[in-house]
Amino acid sequence: MTFAGGRAQADYMARVRGIPPEQCLVVPIDVGKHTAVSLVADHEGRVVHEPMTFPMTATGARTLMNAAGTAGRAARAGSVRFGIEAAGHYHRVLASTLHASGLDVVELNPAAVKVARSQLGQARVKTDVRDCLAMVELLVRGQGWPLHRHDDQVALQTMWVAQRRRKLDAAQALTNQVHALADLAFPGIAATFKTGFDSPTLRMLLSTITSPDELAAMDVEQLVAHAATHGRRMLRPKARHVIAAAQDSLRLPNSQQPTAQCLLAREIAVLEQLRNEITYCDEQLATILPSTPAGVLATIPGVGVATASYYGAALGDPWRFTNADAAYRYSGLSPSSYDSAGRRRAKVQISRQGAVELRRAMITLGTSMGLSHPDFVAYRRRLLAAGKKPMVVAVALAHRSHRLAFAMMRSQIPYDDCRWTTAVAKGRPAKAAGATATT
């Protein structure tokens, strides 16, 4: 039997089938940073426990569970399902606490809650209680994804991936600020390094030399020696190029140069600290990765520790999805469509209705393989040669790489290039990873 809401809805409906609607209770929870709002309703939509606000603490969680238990005993409930809106990270500890207590907990997509509120005629009237009422509609229909509890190693992987992402975002934002300061204090010097501020030598020069005048006054041997003193190796042609740029660069007034250089040096010091934090995260992920389901992905050419960890942490347990297509839809990368009365919208876009972390991880995986794995490099070139837009190419690579990675995590069979080449030739790339028929 096929259900409109897919496997999750089918499983729930099978469990509550035969139970009177008034004995099937749902407990929607709208979480915030410090407090949350909840109520209890039955499958007929009746509110059997009035809305309540409770703190996001252990005491608050017990208050919620006691209220749901009281309502369940009064209704002689045969089923009580807790639905919690997946609001960033705020919901995670509460959801895990409820799940650890043996309760039936599902996560609800905020976008679905918004749509449900619109269907109730309250699109422009947003309150915590109205969001709970919208969640009742979703829960009664069997919507929501059962909470997945990571094992210890995957949970640790997820935490380090989140930490790395935060530090990387901060480093990228700070790099833009450093660029602006460098253009003031040392105009034109950054352009002499092809990799820009990814070059440790450039960062060293900007933080240890006081002005373009000081740099311009050096000869080649002095600059090479200066770099060596600070632990960097600079070739003489590069030193000559940098000095020439300094001699021809613009200058701030002498009264402003010391402040500009001081600010630049301090920002570079912070940037170095962020880069060290990213390196430390990579070291931790490299230690954890082999003991997680995503460890097998490191055998794919071009897939490093960070890429494999991002995908593994975002996907979690691959067996919680029916197949690769279900996981792909969950990411929000599946195409949206509009087909009504025989008319179809010409422009196709991705749905974006799903897990942002998994969507980003798939794009990252596809991009990485599209730049290093020979078959994916050729596939990317074919798409670009056919006139596909870069974003379309990125999504296509994400889909193809996801099917391989998903199958490998399910089978735990390391990548084999000969097996992959044979499977692609037969038009069954997923089979190269030992995938079952459902993938």
mmCIF file of all heavy atoms in Angstrom, residues 392-414:
data_model
loop_
_atom_site.group_PDB
_atom_site.id
_atom_site.type_symbol
_atom_site.label_atom_id
_atom_site.label_comp_id
_atom_site.label_asym_id
_atom_site.label_seq_id
_atom_site.Cartn_x
_atom_site.Cartn_y
_atom_site.Cartn_z
ATOM 1 N N VAL A 392 23.265 23.668 -12.290
ATOM 2 C CA VAL A 392 22.668 22.415 -12.757
ATOM 3 C C VAL A 392 23.724 21.310 -12.733
ATOM 4 O O VAL A 392 23.461 20.172 -12.327
ATOM 5 C CB VAL A 392 22.078 22.582 -14.169
ATOM 6 C CG1 VAL A 392 21.594 21.235 -14.722
ATOM 7 C CG2 VAL A 392 20.932 23.582 -14.157
ATOM 8 N N VAL A 393 24.934 21.648 -13.150
ATOM 9 C CA VAL A 393 26.035 20.680 -13.141
ATOM 10 C C VAL A 393 26.340 20.254 -11.707
ATOM 11 O O VAL A 393 26.551 19.068 -11.425
ATOM 12 C CB VAL A 393 27.285 21.285 -13.803
ATOM 13 C CG1 VAL A 393 28.479 20.331 -13.666
ATOM 14 C CG2 VAL A 393 27.015 21.577 -15.271
ATOM 15 N N ALA A 394 26.352 21.222 -10.788
ATOM 16 C CA ALA A 394 26.645 20.910 -9.382
ATOM 17 C C ALA A 394 25.611 19.955 -8.801
ATOM 18 O O ALA A 394 25.956 19.012 -8.080
ATOM 19 C CB ALA A 394 26.700 22.192 -8.561
ATOM 20 N N VAL A 395 24.344 20.173 -9.116
ATOM 21 C CA VAL A 395 23.284 19.302 -8.605
ATOM 22 C C VAL A 395 23.386 17.910 -9.228
ATOM 23 O O VAL A 395 23.195 16.897 -8.548
ATOM 24 C CB VAL A 395 21.902 19.926 -8.871
ATOM 25 C CG1 VAL A 395 20.785 18.950 -8.516
ATOM 26 C CG2 VAL A 395 21.730 21.216 -8.072
ATOM 27 N N ALA A 396 23.690 17.854 -10.525
ATOM 28 C CA ALA A 396 23.841 16.552 -11.189
ATOM 29 C C ALA A 396 24.998 15.760 -10.583
ATOM 30 O O ALA A 396 24.887 14.548 -10.347
ATOM 31 C CB ALA A 396 24.060 16.753 -12.686
ATOM 32 N N LEU A 397 26.106 16.437 -10.312
ATOM 33 C CA LEU A 397 27.239 15.769 -9.671
ATOM 34 C C LEU A 397 26.883 15.309 -8.261
ATOM 35 O O LEU A 397 27.283 14.230 -7.821
ATOM 36 C CB LEU A 397 28.439 16.721 -9.617
ATOM 37 C CG LEU A 397 29.168 16.977 -10.939
ATOM 38 C CD1 LEU A 397 30.140 18.146 -10.782
ATOM 39 C CD2 LEU A 397 29.912 15.738 -11.414
ATOM 40 N N ALA A 398 26.129 16.149 -7.558
ATOM 41 C CA ALA A 398 25.707 15.781 -6.202
ATOM 42 C C ALA A 398 24.852 14.525 -6.220
ATOM 43 O O ALA A 398 25.016 13.628 -5.387
ATOM 44 C CB ALA A 398 24.937 16.942 -5.567
ATOM 45 N N HIS A 399 23.931 14.442 -7.185
ATOM 46 C CA HIS A 399 23.047 13.282 -7.274
ATOM 47 C C HIS A 399 23.833 12.010 -7.591
ATOM 48 O O HIS A 399 23.644 10.961 -6.960
ATOM 49 C CB HIS A 399 21.993 13.530 -8.357
ATOM 50 C CG HIS A 399 21.027 12.399 -8.519
ATOM 51 N ND1 HIS A 399 21.092 11.512 -9.571
ATOM 52 C CD2 HIS A 399 19.982 11.995 -7.751
ATOM 53 C CE1 HIS A 399 20.125 10.609 -9.454
ATOM 54 N NE2 HIS A 399 19.433 10.882 -8.359
ATOM 55 N N ARG A 400 24.742 12.128 -8.527
ATOM 56 C CA ARG A 400 25.512 10.946 -8.944
ATOM 57 C C ARG A 400 26.440 10.474 -7.822
ATOM 58 O O ARG A 400 26.545 9.272 -7.535
ATOM 59 C CB ARG A 400 26.317 11.280 -10.195
ATOM 60 C CG ARG A 400 26.839 10.069 -10.980
ATOM 61 C CD ARG A 400 27.344 10.529 -12.330
ATOM 62 N NE ARG A 400 27.543 9.409 -13.235
ATOM 63 C CZ ARG A 400 28.724 9.038 -13.719
ATOM 64 N NH1 ARG A 400 29.806 9.679 -13.337
ATOM 65 N NH2 ARG A 400 28.827 8.038 -14.565
ATOM 66 N N SER A 401 27.135 11.416 -7.199
ATOM 67 C CA SER A 401 28.067 11.045 -6.124
ATOM 68 C C SER A 401 27.312 10.523 -4.903
ATOM 69 O O SER A 401 27.799 9.618 -4.208
ATOM 70 C CB SER A 401 28.930 12.240 -5.745
ATOM 71 O OG SER A 401 28.147 13.310 -5.262
ATOM 72 N N HIS A 402 26.126 11.091 -4.650
ATOM 73 C CA HIS A 402 25.324 10.615 -3.520
ATOM 74 C C HIS A 402 24.929 9.165 -3.686
ATOM 75 O O HIS A 402 24.978 8.380 -2.738
ATOM 76 C CB HIS A 402 24.082 11.487 -3.372
ATOM 77 C CG HIS A 402 22.946 10.813 -2.668
ATOM 78 N ND1 HIS A 402 23.003 10.442 -1.340
ATOM 79 C CD2 HIS A 402 21.721 10.408 -3.120
ATOM 80 C CE1 HIS A 402 21.869 9.853 -0.989
ATOM 81 N NE2 HIS A 402 21.082 9.821 -2.047
ATOM 82 N N ARG A 403 24.537 8.781 -4.875
ATOM 83 C CA ARG A 403 24.104 7.395 -5.094
ATOM 84 C C ARG A 403 25.261 6.427 -4.827
ATOM 85 O O ARG A 403 25.070 5.350 -4.251
ATOM 86 C CB ARG A 403 23.569 7.225 -6.515
ATOM 87 C CG ARG A 403 22.285 8.007 -6.767
ATOM 88 C CD ARG A 403 21.673 7.659 -8.120
ATOM 89 N NE ARG A 403 21.155 6.297 -8.117
ATOM 90 C CZ ARG A 403 19.961 5.938 -7.659
ATOM 91 N NH1 ARG A 403 19.156 6.845 -7.137
ATOM 92 N NH2 ARG A 403 19.571 4.688 -7.712
ATOM 93 N N LEU A 404 26.454 6.819 -5.242
ATOM 94 C CA LEU A 404 27.616 5.981 -4.968
ATOM 95 C C LEU A 404 27.906 5.941 -3.472
ATOM 96 O O LEU A 404 28.086 4.860 -2.890
ATOM 97 C CB LEU A 404 28.835 6.516 -5.722
ATOM 98 C CG LEU A 404 30.180 5.869 -5.379
ATOM 99 C CD1 LEU A 404 30.166 4.387 -5.727
ATOM 100 C CD2 LEU A 404 31.317 6.592 -6.092
ATOM 101 N N ALA A 405 27.954 7.121 -2.833
ATOM 102 C CA ALA A 405 28.308 7.184 -1.413
ATOM 103 C C ALA A 405 27.274 6.479 -0.553
ATOM 104 O O ALA A 405 27.620 5.768 0.399
ATOM 105 C CB ALA A 405 28.444 8.649 -0.992
ATOM 106 N N PHE A 406 25.997 6.665 -0.871
ATOM 107 C CA PHE A 406 24.924 6.034 -0.102
ATOM 108 C C PHE A 406 25.045 4.515 -0.171
ATOM 109 O O PHE A 406 24.949 3.809 0.844
ATOM 110 C CB PHE A 406 23.572 6.490 -0.640
ATOM 111 C CG PHE A 406 22.392 5.940 0.114
ATOM 112 C CD1 PHE A 406 21.886 6.603 1.220
ATOM 113 C CD2 PHE A 406 21.776 4.764 -0.286
ATOM 114 C CE1 PHE A 406 20.799 6.103 1.922
ATOM 115 C CE2 PHE A 406 20.688 4.249 0.403
ATOM 116 C CZ PHE A 406 20.204 4.930 1.511
ATOM 117 N N ALA A 407 25.269 4.004 -1.386
ATOM 118 C CA ALA A 407 25.393 2.555 -1.555
ATOM 119 C C ALA A 407 26.622 2.013 -0.829
ATOM 120 O O ALA A 407 26.579 0.935 -0.229
ATOM 121 C CB ALA A 407 25.460 2.215 -3.044
ATOM 122 N N MET A 408 27.712 2.755 -0.853
ATOM 123 C CA MET A 408 28.921 2.306 -0.162
ATOM 124 C C MET A 408 28.721 2.273 1.349
ATOM 125 O O MET A 408 29.188 1.354 2.021
ATOM 126 C CB MET A 408 30.097 3.218 -0.519
ATOM 127 C CG MET A 408 30.616 3.031 -1.927
ATOM 128 S SD MET A 408 32.006 4.121 -2.317
ATOM 129 C CE MET A 408 33.245 3.540 -1.155
ATOM 130 N N MET A 409 28.016 3.259 1.884
ATOM 131 C CA MET A 409 27.770 3.257 3.331
ATOM 132 C C MET A 409 26.842 2.118 3.733
ATOM 133 O O MET A 409 26.963 1.558 4.817
ATOM 134 C CB MET A 409 27.185 4.602 3.758
ATOM 135 C CG MET A 409 28.215 5.725 3.797
ATOM 136 S SD MET A 409 27.546 7.306 4.354
ATOM 137 C CE MET A 409 27.056 6.918 6.038
ATOM 138 N N ARG A 410 25.908 1.772 2.854
ATOM 139 C CA ARG A 410 25.014 0.648 3.160
ATOM 140 C C ARG A 410 25.764 -0.676 3.088
ATOM 141 O O ARG A 410 25.551 -1.568 3.925
ATOM 142 C CB ARG A 410 23.842 0.636 2.169
ATOM 143 C CG ARG A 410 22.857 1.783 2.336
ATOM 144 C CD ARG A 410 21.685 1.391 3.201
ATOM 145 N NE ARG A 410 20.737 0.579 2.492
ATOM 146 C CZ ARG A 410 19.459 0.933 2.290
ATOM 147 N NH1 ARG A 410 18.998 2.082 2.731
ATOM 148 N NH2 ARG A 410 18.648 0.129 1.664
ATOM 149 N N SER A 411 26.630 -0.825 2.090
ATOM 150 C CA SER A 411 27.309 -2.114 1.883
ATOM 151 C C SER A 411 28.621 -2.223 2.649
ATOM 152 O O SER A 411 29.092 -3.328 2.914
ATOM 153 C CB SER A 411 27.588 -2.314 0.396
ATOM 154 O OG SER A 411 28.563 -1.387 -0.061
ATOM 155 N N GLN A 412 29.227 -1.053 2.961
ATOM 156 C CA GLN A 412 30.541 -1.008 3.602
ATOM 157 C C GLN A 412 31.610 -1.689 2.755
ATOM 158 O O GLN A 412 32.597 -2.225 3.278
ATOM 159 C CB GLN A 412 30.490 -1.608 5.012
ATOM 160 C CG GLN A 412 29.768 -0.725 6.020
ATOM 161 C CD GLN A 412 30.449 0.606 6.246
ATOM 162 O OE1 GLN A 412 31.570 0.672 6.722
ATOM 163 N NE2 GLN A 412 29.775 1.691 5.853
ATOM 164 N N ILE A 413 31.422 -1.665 1.445
ATOM 165 C CA ILE A 413 32.418 -2.207 0.521
ATOM 166 C C ILE A 413 33.292 -1.061 0.021
ATOM 167 O O ILE A 413 32.774 -0.078 -0.503
ATOM 168 C CB ILE A 413 31.741 -2.902 -0.679
ATOM 169 C CG1 ILE A 413 30.916 -4.099 -0.202
ATOM 170 C CG2 ILE A 413 32.785 -3.344 -1.695
ATOM 171 C CD1 ILE A 413 30.153 -4.787 -1.327
ATOM 172 N N PRO A 414 34.617 -1.133 0.178
ATOM 173 C CA PRO A 414 35.500 -0.057 -0.284
ATOM 174 C C PRO A 414 35.369 0.169 -1.786
ATOM 175 O O PRO A 414 34.984 -0.733 -2.546
ATOM 176 C CB PRO A 414 36.900 -0.554 0.087
ATOM 177 C CG PRO A 414 36.675 -1.538 1.183
ATOM 178 C CD PRO A 414 35.366 -2.199 0.870
#
